[in-house]
Amino acid sequence: MQQSFPMNGGDGPHSYLNNSHFQRQAINVSRTMIEEAIAKKLDVKCFSSNPFRLADLGCSVGPNTFIAMQHIVEAVERKYLAQGLKSEMPEFQVFFNDHVANDFNTLFASLPTERRYFACGVPGSFHGRLFPESSIHFMFSSHALHWLSKVPEELLDKNSPAWNRGRIHYTSGPEKVSHAYAAQFEHDMEIFLSARAKELVVGGMIVLLIPALPNGIPISQSPFGAMFDLLGASLMDMAKEGLISEAEVDSFNLPIHIASPEQMTELVERNECLIIERMEFVDPRSNLFGLINGKECAMFLRASLEGVFAQYFESGIIDQLFDRLSKKIMESSHQLEPVGTLLFVVLRLK
């Protein structure tokens, strides 16, 4: 059974709306790469249908999705003009997709008034079909595909070699735990890619921005691993103080897997319907992933992860958990140097 892990809704101090600056920077830094992909590889002469349909898979609550969709619409318009197709310029329709538990009310309440597209919501998991066959011209997903559809079952079995006692992630865990995460990610991605290949129009394009690590780099040497370890350590400290039980920590695992280019390439090749047009890391020398203060990082993580923790722990511990995390990050800031971190992928049908 798939699980839902929504970002913090609303527009409060801990909301995703007000604490997703890193994702926004990623979209802005990759803007030129997206424009180049559209200019060189999007085959608008293949399209006979109107409107031009775009989908943001894992859109969350805004405003980042609106920024990305506007960039893409403008780039597609320039493509039509460059091809001498001004008279055939289509109208645009954007499908905003996320889990049913996503705060779509906040999303649609903050839609830009001057947008150049028609908007609609598509609630449901992208780990499965969402649209009719050959109906979407451009698919986009940013900072969403690292989420698993569910926690690997082996991690919760005390008799399994993959039981993840005392940890909340595969960072620093036994090899069996890492293998369980990787197997779940591969299963999810196979379903994702198969569904998208059916839904994509011939000549269309898929652009993905995926948290990732260079081939051969263990997650323990990454900012992701450092933060997940610090979160786990904060929970274990609270367990030792009797604020929560160790059994609760033992049964909790973050449903997040950080892939590599090698793993992504293998999964796309296994699909047999899609090809990779471009795959590279967003330049880590940009200002995208510089060192940040502990409070800012903790707020970002809380906006993204509070919904997951709230499903397993009493809400009364959330404030203290992220306060402790903030302090630990400040004490361990040397661990948060950027390594790779964001993979840019362009896919098309064969």
Side-chain angles (χ1 to χ4, degrees):
M1 179 179 178
Q2 293 188 0
Q3 297 170 281
S4 177
F5 308 106
M7 306 295 103
N8 275 0
D11 60 357
H14 301 128
S15 67
Y16 186 83
L17 183 70
N18 291 318
N19 293 282
S20 55
H21 312 300
F22 302 135
Q23 291 91 330
R24 192 172 315 153
Q25 290 172 352
I27 290 170
N28 288 330
V29 168
S30 60
R31 178 177 182 176
T32 300
M33 301 166 76
I34 295 172
E35 291 173 346
E36 289 175 355
I38 291 172
K40 295 179 180 179
K41 298 296 182 181
L42 186 67
D43 192 355
V44 297
K45 290 184 177 180
C46 284
F47 307 150
S48 57
S49 61
N50 193 2
F52 185 102
R53 300 184 185 89
L54 302 86
D56 187 352
L57 308 172
C59 64
S60 192
V61 297
N64 301 333
T65 183
F66 307 137
I67 296 170
M69 292 301 100
Q70 189 60 36
H71 290 172
I72 293 167
V73 166
E74 291 172 355
V76 173
E77 287 177 335
R78 286 194 294 271
K79 175 74 173 187
Y80 270 87
L81 293 175
Q83 295 281 303
L85 301 173
K86 183 177 180 179
S87 62
E88 298 180 35
M89 185 73 69
E91 293 185 300
F92 293 87
Q93 184 176 24
V94 174
F95 297 93
F96 294 99
N97 158 256
D98 214 315
H99 280 287
V100 294
N102 185 57
D103 186 357
F104 282 98
N105 287 334
T106 293
L107 175 76
F108 286 110
S110 55
L111 269 170
T113 55
E114 300 299 319
R115 66 188 182 275
R116 299 211 292 272
Y117 54 82
F118 297 93
C120 57
V122 180
S125 170
F126 54 50
H127 293 119
R129 287 288 299 275
L130 292 166
F131 306 104
E133 189 170 337
S134 301
S135 62
I136 306 297
H137 300 85
F138 193 101
M139 301 181 187
F140 177 76
S141 183
S142 175
H143 289 83
L145 286 173
H146 59 299
W147 286 96
L148 302 178
S149 65
K150 64 178 183 178
V151 173
E153 296 177 2
E154 308 95 294
L155 273 58
L156 307 177
D157 182 357
K158 292 182 179 181
N159 298 316
S160 167
W163 184 40
N164 205 22
R165 181 178 183 181
R167 287 175 295 271
I168 66 170
H169 194 246
Y170 66 91
T171 308
S172 305
E175 190 174 336
K176 293 287 187 181
V177 174
S178 298
H179 287 169
Y181 268 91
Q184 184 64 52
F185 176 79
E186 290 172 7
H187 172 77
D188 291 345
M189 279 301 301
E190 286 177 355
I191 294 174
F192 175 88
L193 293 172
S194 176
R196 304 296 79 82
K198 289 182 174 67
E199 297 162 349
L200 190 64
V201 170
V202 172
M205 178 177 293
I206 303 172
V207 172
L208 310 174
L209 289 172
I210 311 171
L213 289 172
N215 297 331
I217 300 294
I219 193 170
S220 58
Q221 295 180 18
S222 74
F224 304 114
M227 287 186 284
F228 296 154
D229 272 352
L230 293 175
L231 263 172
S234 298
L235 281 173
M236 287 303 293
D237 288 346
M238 296 173 74
K240 291 173 183 175
E241 295 171 21
L243 299 173
I244 56 177
S245 70
E246 287 195 23
E248 287 180 289
V249 181
D250 292 342
S251 63
F252 175 81
N253 293 275
L254 287 171
I256 293 173
H257 175 79
I258 308 301
S260 68
E262 182 179 31
Q263 189 177 28
M264 286 301 301
T265 298
E266 181 180 336
L267 287 166
V268 174
E269 291 176 348
R270 196 183 302 173
N271 173 263
E272 296 185 348
C273 294
L274 296 166
I275 57 172
I276 298 170
E277 286 289 354
R278 185 172 178 181
M279 180 184 291
E280 63 186 82
F281 280 102
V282 173
D283 187 356
R285 293 171 297 177
S286 68
N287 293 325
L288 179 57
F289 297 110
L291 290 178
I292 53 177
N293 65 59
K295 183 177 180 180
E296 185 180 17
C297 185
M299 291 287 281
F300 155 67
L301 287 172
R302 179 169 183 168
S304 301
L305 301 177
E306 181 173 350
V308 184
F309 285 97
Q311 292 180 18
Y312 288 87
F313 301 98
E314 293 183 5
S315 60
I317 74 151
I318 300 297
D319 286 340
Q320 188 173 161
L321 170 62
F322 286 97
D323 285 345
R324 289 173 182 247
L325 174 65
S326 176
K327 293 175 183 176
K328 286 184 180 292
I329 292 173
M330 292 176 68
E331 295 167 358
S332 309
S333 60
H334 65 281
Q335 299 181 51
L336 302 183
E337 293 282 355
V339 180
T341 66
L342 190 66
L343 192 64
F344 175 81
V345 183
V346 178
L347 305 175
R348 289 198 308 127
L349 290 172
K350 286 185 177 179

